[in-house]
Amino acid sequence: MVAAPAHPPAPVSFSSRRRRSVAFLGTALLLLTACSDQAEQTPAPEPEPTGPISGVARNAALHSVDPAKVAQARDLPETYPGSSASAAGADATVTLRDGKPGEDYRHGSVGLSLESTDLADERLNANNADLVTILDSLHEPTLRFGGNSTDRRFFFTASDEPIPKDWPLNEGEEITKVTPDDLKRVAKLTERTETSVIISANLARYHPDRAGELARHAKDAFGDRLVGIMVGNEPNGFYQGRDNDLTIKSEDWDQETYAKQLTAYSKAIHERVPNLRIVAPGAYSADWWNAAAEAPGTGSMAMAVHQYPLSECGSQWEHQIPTVENAVDPETRENVDRLVSQAAEDADEHELPLWITETSLSACSGSNEITETLVAAVHQAEYSMRVQDLGVERVAAHSSLAPCKGGAPMSVLCSDGTLANPGESFSVRANGLALALIASIPQGNMVETSTSTDNLTSFAVEHGNDTVSVVLTDYRNPASSKDRTTSVNLPFAVDYATQSQLRGPSWTSEYPVASLFEDHSNASNSPNPSSGATGAPSASGEAASSAPDYPADPDVALSVERALQPAPSNAASVDGYGLPITPAGERPRVGGVKAGSKTVDVTLPAGSTTVLTLKKTQPSPSPKESQ
């Protein structure tokens, strides 16, 4: 091509234009002939191959693709399969109350908790496609760094000091050094994913000035994304007996000593970063969180509570042993309400926000038969709604960057590789899908609800844009209980309802994370979504996508190709798939809902958490308004 002139040519007369036109036509014909000859000699380059979605490169990371495009490529049906009400009528009822709005529901209120030592993990960076996808799926979450490593193996230094050699360590443990460069690296990841951050300072190795320096460098790195700094982790567990591996203080450690040290840390932190929110105590005992709230000089702190409803720590109470039966027992939910309600009451009394900075279904090692399963996922989804209804502002599920094989089973996410050589690729487990499902609910205000039976729970969020989200959790055994129709009674009329659903064939079903790390060429073994997948089939009855004939990107597990492969029939999933969660506007509708009705009848499978999005009916304009 010939470049256009920098300035337009001078105007010419009409006669000169005619004379030039003949010459121009001849020249043009010669040029066209030359271009034609050249085109025959040099074939045009073929376009770059794309993946299964038109215009999207193959092996594209999910975070780079609009989830609506993925949902459309999954070819979901217009009506959610099995959602229509049974002709026999409703077996359970849910009622939404018409009253003043309840607690705030914050979009992105659910997040992750990692160990403080994970700050040194080079994989936590803005270029790790899977981690970006996972954080994006939680919609501006909170990422808290803390855990037991904070006071036992976490050493922050701004001047490249050598790692201490006099700290007491258990066999196999080592101290991890974290520097300002680590904070800057992680900050780039949180900036890319719009993630808020809580960091933690080592309290057991008493050093307020070091905590102040940590706060200063964290503020420099994270800026306004730094929402708080925790002082220690679970100080109520610093002394657990002389022979306990977690004991790091003497038997005279108590709330009074802790409060004095918290004050000293707060002073040192605020000298470097005025008004930075102190987050404390990260404890599971009212005596300790009230001691933190009453410690002088902590400013407008956030009351941080930890809760693990079931425990492997040699609990003397049978109902706290981590079993499926205890996980679904109404008594477990009552215990959740009891502790969180007490914390909310104490936080209100001290005029402090309440955050749960660490939680999971079961405590201690977390290595048991239920932590990776559907029952843990359903618990995580329901728990996230339950505690927000009680007034909790932020909820962080404790997690790990360790490999899926050998790492913490309770973790929301895990990597490929081995403990000795962890990989760069990451996936979520079933409880990670549960968090993403809840995170997809827009912000709003909680609405009071009630149910007719204790094996069904309900929560609702009014969004202020003529939509309401309703979260229904069915605690019946999915392996032995039939689907049941549930009537949702409303104080308003609806045009229609859509749904998305977390489910599986049994409480012990898992999401197949290992398959995401295999070569994509093996994806042809995935079942046809119309016959073998859990959740919603495709509208066409055909497979959502054929297996690609090119190798997977070894650094990307959460790719578009994988997102279009349905989960196996024996797996836990959301709508039959993994990430991304289908956006509300793309979800199939609940069958049989009549426009203008104040009742939505929906059939729910046992062992599921369902999110309904209700579209309110707009009132007809009055004659005066229509004129």
Side-chain angles (χ1 to χ4, degrees):
M1 294 179 63
V2 178
H7 301 286
V12 295
S13 67
F14 178 74
S15 59
S16 65
R17 287 177 181 168
R18 285 190 64 184
R19 287 194 299 270
R20 292 180 184 178
S21 64
V22 176
F24 174 79
L25 180 59
T27 303
L29 289 172
L30 289 172
L31 286 173
L32 286 172
T33 303
C35 289
S36 177
D37 292 342
Q38 185 177 5
E40 291 177 359
Q41 296 171 4
T42 308
E46 295 183 3
E48 181 71 20
T50 61
I53 297 178
S54 177
V56 176
R58 64 188 192 184
N59 290 318
L62 282 180
H63 69 79
S64 65
V65 183
D66 184 351
K69 286 187 175 182
V70 178
Q72 291 162 8
R74 285 172 174 170
D75 196 19
L76 300 178
E78 183 177 345
T79 301
Y80 204 98
S83 63
S84 299
S86 167
D91 299 313
T93 59
V94 173
T95 302
L96 272 64
R97 307 297 181 188
D98 189 7
K100 67 178 183 178
E103 296 288 344
D104 291 341
Y105 177 88
R106 191 174 67 84
H107 193 47
S109 54
V110 295
L112 303 178
S113 167
L114 295 174
E115 293 292 322
S116 290
T117 50
D118 286 333
L119 285 164
D121 194 317
E122 295 286 343
R123 295 175 298 169
L124 272 177
N125 67 76
N127 295 320
N128 189 299
D130 290 336
L131 290 179
V132 172
T133 292
I134 291 169
L135 291 175
D136 276 352
S137 75
L138 300 180
H139 300 283
E140 303 178 21
T142 299
L143 184 57
R144 173 257 186 176
F145 292 94
N148 282 335
S149 67
T150 301
D151 300 291
R152 295 163 176 84
R153 304 183 301 279
F154 169 63
F155 177 66
F156 174 80
T157 174
S159 55
D160 199 28
E161 301 165 86
I163 290 177
K165 296 182 179 180
D166 58 346
W167 289 11
L169 296 171
N170 294 316
E171 185 177 353
E173 292 183 341
E174 61 182 24
I175 297 170
T176 297
K177 181 197 290 189
V178 172
T179 70
D181 285 342
D182 292 317
L183 302 180
K184 293 174 184 176
R185 169 178 40 77
V186 176
K188 291 179 181 178
L189 171 64
T190 61
E191 181 179 1
R192 181 169 184 175
T193 56
E194 300 185 51
T195 298
S196 299
V197 177
I198 303 169
I199 59 170
S200 300
N202 189 322
L203 177 61
R205 306 292 108 197
Y206 182 77
H207 203 317
D209 285 338
R210 189 180 299 277
E213 286 302 293
L214 170 62
R216 181 170 70 83
H217 285 280
K219 183 65 175 178
D220 289 344
F222 296 105
D224 291 340
R225 297 198 182 282
L226 182 66
V227 295
I229 179 168
M230 297 191 73
V231 177
N233 175 78
E234 297 182 2
N236 55 320
F238 280 8
Y239 180 77
Q240 299 188 29
R242 293 183 180 180
D243 298 327
N244 192 300
D245 288 344
L246 293 177
T247 292
I248 48 177
K249 288 289 186 180
S250 63
E251 58 188 5
D252 59 355
W253 174 255
D254 57 17
Q255 293 100 315
E256 183 179 356
T257 304
Y258 163 68
K260 290 179 179 178
Q261 294 190 6
L262 177 61
T263 296
Y265 268 66
S266 300
K267 179 181 178 182
I269 290 167
H270 288 150
E271 284 176 352
R272 275 86 164 179
V273 188
N275 303 317
L276 178 60
R277 192 185 291 277
I278 304 298
V279 186
Y284 41 89
S285 168
D287 291 344
W288 288 83
W289 68 57
N290 282 318
E294 294 164 8
T298 56
S300 181
M301 62 169 271
M303 183 180 289
V305 172
H306 292 178
Q307 185 178 36
Y308 294 83
L310 305 181
S311 173
E312 286 190 293
C313 303
S315 175
Q316 58 182 315
W317 295 287
E318 269 190 38
H319 64 265
Q320 286 191 343
I321 298 173
T323 62
V324 168
E325 290 73 18
N326 284 340
V328 303
D329 195 320
E331 186 174 358
T332 296
R333 299 190 287 281
E334 291 170 5
N335 288 336
V336 168
D337 289 347
R338 190 175 298 113
L339 183 138
V340 178
S341 294
Q342 179 63 61
E345 183 179 327
D346 292 341
D348 285 345
E349 182 180 337
H350 293 96
E351 299 182 342
L352 301 175
L354 177 60
W355 298 354
I356 294 180
T357 49
E358 194 175 308
T359 188
S360 187
L361 176 57
S362 62
C364 295
S365 66
S367 300
N368 55 60
E369 62 183 14
I370 66 172
T371 45
E372 298 182 53
T373 63
L374 173 67
V375 75
V378 166
H379 161 82
Q380 190 65 66
E382 205 269 355
Y383 180 90
S384 299
M385 296 302 301
R386 177 173 293 275
V387 297
Q388 288 185 81
D389 195 40
L390 294 171
V392 175
E393 290 186 0
R394 299 176 188 263
V395 189
H398 202 43
S399 303
S400 168
L401 298 178
C404 302
K405 296 180 180 179
M410 73 170 70
S411 179
V412 167
L413 71 160
C414 56
S415 70
D416 64 339
T418 64
L419 285 174
N421 187 26
E424 297 283 333
S425 300
F426 287 85
S427 175
V428 293
R429 288 192 169 107
N431 52 355
L433 292 178
L435 280 182
L437 177 61
I438 297 304
S440 72
I441 299 173
Q443 66 186 28
N445 292 101
M446 303 294 289
V447 176
E448 183 182 355
T449 69
S450 62
T451 63
S452 62
T453 175
D454 62 3
N455 60 18
L456 176 68
T457 68
S458 61
F459 301 95
V461 182
E462 168 73 61
H463 302 301
N465 62 351
D466 297 321
T467 63
V468 176
S469 297
V470 180
V471 181
L472 305 174
T473 299
D474 190 310
Y475 278 100
R476 296 172 303 136
N477 187 344
S480 59
S481 301
K482 297 180 179 179
D483 296 354
R484 68 176 170 191
T485 296
T486 299
S487 284
V488 183
N489 300 318
L490 308 167
F492 50 81
V494 296
D495 276 343
Y496 59 86
T498 64
Q499 80 170 49
S500 192
Q501 193 170 81
L502 167 68
R503 64 178 298 184
S506 76
W507 280 130
T508 55
S509 298
E510 300 179 11
Y511 181 64
V513 293
S515 67
L516 297 177
F517 303 131
E518 298 171 358
D519 189 285
H520 286 318
S521 62
N522 294 330
S524 58
N525 296 325
S526 297
N528 184 305
S530 64
S531 59
T534 60
S538 66
S540 65
E542 301 295 331
S545 66
S546 59
D549 57 0
Y550 49 85
D553 184 337
D555 293 328
V556 180
L558 300 176
S559 66
V560 171
E561 284 81 353
R562 282 304 190 192
L564 296 183
Q565 292 299 323
S569 59
N570 63 346
S573 68
V574 174
D575 302 332
Y577 294 89
L579 293 179
I581 303 299
T582 301
E586 303 294 328
R587 293 173 185 172
R589 294 192 179 190
V590 176
V593 176
K594 296 180 179 179
S597 174
K598 289 189 175 182
T599 299
V600 171
D601 290 331
V602 58
T603 295
L604 303 176
S608 64
T609 293
T610 302
V611 177
L612 303 178
T613 302
L614 311 180
K615 177 63 175 177
K616 292 183 178 180
T617 299
Q618 291 297 309
S620 300
S622 64
K624 290 183 179 180
E625 292 174 335
S626 60
Q627 292 178 356

